[in-house]
Amino acid sequence: MSVTIKSPREIEIMRIAGRIAGNTLQELRHVLAAGMTTKYLDELAEQSIYRQGGEPAFPHINSFPGTLCVSVNEEVVHGIPGKRRLEDGDLVKLDVGVIYRGYHGDCAVTVPVGRISNRARRLMDVTERALATGIEAASPDGHLYDIGAAIQDYVEAQGFSVVRQYVGHGIGRELHEDPTVPHYRQASRGLHLRPGMTLTIEPMVNTGTFETVTLRDGWTVVTKDRELSAQWEHTVLITDRGPDILTLPEQGEPWGVPFQAIKQVQ
């Protein structure tokens, strides 16, 4: 495993990449509505990224057919934008990656369409809190696998399950770098976290089983029991003062932010 420690210059570039990603999702959160196609959301994301001076990252990953992953209801991750129209009651996961001057930002949100069920609302809220819990565990005196242990303990105490097959990752010049960041407990605490590490923390939480399957399109991942799933994600920098979230939007309410991380970015 080769974990890169980012220089101050690299961090500042990644902060801009992250801000572009966060701004893009914040824009989509405010306009998403029933009747929109997932392709239309993808087009809005692409326009937003280019307008801010960035470039979509996902088309560079095995030629993914879109700027945005749009995953609805039982779809966990990697949903392909297309003709599907959103309906009242849907739970929509939006995941975006950005390249700016050769460095990446990556984040995700879950957005309700109109009035959703109480169970869907609770799943969404628990998953957002799971992200905050994982970020809180990303301290410079901690270990990598403390993050997943904290997330799993919280999620399972709420009666939900954490997806095992898809995890967070290091990020920088490449969208996916070492180390792998599981969102569930491991046998050890893993490597020591060090200032200058940049990671994505992106728990995917299901109302039923944690198991998933991939559809015939080769991309879209769904829950094995077709129960609901939610996801929230941030790109996080480890600092000697605590976690610093790089994908916060410039305006509007941020997501998945624990109290100590709020203090860090003020």
Side-chain angles (χ1 to χ4, degrees), residues 7 16 20 51 70 72-73 75 145 150 163 175 184 190 196 213 216 220 227 239 262:
S7 69
I16 297 171
I20 293 170
R51 185 175 66 247
V70 188
V72 184
N73 296 332
E75 295 172 354
Y145 296 155
V163 170
L175 182 64
Y184 53 97
V213 294
R216 290 183 179 179
T220 308
E227 292 291 325
T239 80
I262 294 174

Side-chain angles (χ1 to χ4, degrees), residues 36 60-61 78 86 97 109 122 166 183 197 242 246 248:
M36 289 183 175
H60 297 278
I61 307 300
H78 302 161
L86 301 179
V109 297
R122 185 163 177 271
Y166 300 91
H183 303 120
M197 290 181 176
L246 301 184
L248 292 174

